[in-house]
Amino acid sequence: PGIPIHPSQRMPHGAHGAHGALWAVESWTMSGAGKASAFLTVDQPVLSAATRAKRTANVGMCDGVLGDERIHVTVDAENKRSLLLDGPSTSGFVQSQLRCKGSPELFMGSCDDPLIRKAWRCELPEPLELSEAFPYVAAILRRMEGCRKHPMKVLLLGLGGGTMQSYLDATCPASQLLTVEASPGVLEAARRFFGFTGPVHLSDARLALSQLVSEQRR
């Protein structure tokens, strides 16, 4: 079950864990690197998500969505959420970040825990700010701002936390968005914790593209 983190257990922002590793998960401009990065940077091998949460007591973390233990979500005291995805070459990859309204209670536990699901439900801010997005996401969205006057048909391969989709939906409501995502767990995480409400086609991207091409030829 979700375990609340008592304020007395919280370490100051930027506190260091064992061996000098910086475990401030909510910051993606990493210490020592001096460059923006979408990866957690540590000076030792990447540990389990549960261990990372314990060493960053000012950040709540849950693991596993729909039983998929490769998916992790962190929430800090300012209600900034991060979606972390583990994989053969992407352990500790911060896929999406978003700040939701309100002040959350911080927990450590399973993302499938009903208590955490309810406590971390995301109400999106109005308007969504590009300053909160990763630089590459903001750069892509700025190139698409013409959709305010001229609605577009947009195909997005991969959902993540759905931050790009939520921004486009709020900014260009007349545009048609189609998102293809292969993982039911990622889709569920986006809906539960990142305020995403749009439609998604659950499929491998290659199969979906092949299907779309076939439909266009008919």
Side-chain angles (χ1 to χ4, degrees):
I3 303 173
I5 301 174
H6 191 273
S8 64
Q9 297 175 308
R10 295 175 187 165
M11 299 165 62
H13 179 78
H16 289 69
H19 310 296
L22 182 67
W23 298 101
V25 181
E26 70 272 26
S27 174
W28 52 267
T29 302
M30 296 304 165
S31 171
K35 297 180 180 179
S37 171
F39 289 87
L40 295 176
T41 300
V42 296
D43 55 10
Q44 61 183 7
V46 175
L47 302 181
S48 70
T51 302
R52 290 199 295 269
K54 291 176 182 177
R55 297 197 177 186
T56 314
N58 61 336
V59 177
M61 175 176 277
C62 69
D63 304 310
V65 178
L66 298 183
D68 189 339
E69 296 299 325
R70 299 170 298 176
I71 303 171
H72 318 282
V73 176
T74 67
V75 179
D76 71 10
E78 296 182 349
N79 214 359
K80 189 172 185 178
R81 283 100 188 281
S82 297
L83 177 65
L84 283 69
L85 302 179
D86 291 340
S89 60
T90 57
S91 292
F93 177 71
V94 184
Q95 205 285 335
S96 299
Q97 285 190 330
L98 176 71
R99 193 185 307 275
C100 302
K101 288 184 179 180
S103 301
E105 187 171 4
L106 302 182
F107 297 92
M108 290 184 292
S110 168
C111 297
D112 290 330
D113 185 330
L115 174 64
I116 291 179
R117 290 177 59 179
K118 182 178 180 180
W120 287 0
R121 182 178 177 274
C122 177
E123 183 180 357
L124 293 175
E126 298 176 4
L128 291 171
E129 298 290 343
L130 283 182
S131 60
E132 296 285 344
F134 284 127
Y136 81 90
V137 173
I140 293 172
L141 291 173
R142 288 192 183 99
R143 295 289 296 265
M144 300 176 67
E145 287 189 341
C147 65
R148 296 174 186 266
K149 295 182 178 180
H150 305 286
M152 301 177 178
K153 292 184 178 181
V154 184
L155 173 65
L156 298 113
L157 301 180
L159 175 64
T163 53
M164 187 179 296
Q165 288 86 345
S166 294
Y167 180 87
L168 287 172
D169 186 57
T171 305
C172 308
S175 292
Q176 299 179 38
L177 308 181
L178 174 61
T179 300
V180 177
E181 171 56 52
S183 168
V186 168
L187 171 57
E188 187 69 10
R191 294 201 189 285
R192 284 186 195 174
F193 304 116
F194 293 85
F196 173 72
T197 59
V200 171
H201 180 60
L202 272 173
S203 173
D204 177 85
R206 290 168 296 184
L207 295 177
L209 287 173
S210 178
Q211 180 180 353
L212 289 170
V213 170
S214 298
E215 291 174 356
Q216 290 292 326
R217 289 174 175 173
R218 291 173 186 171

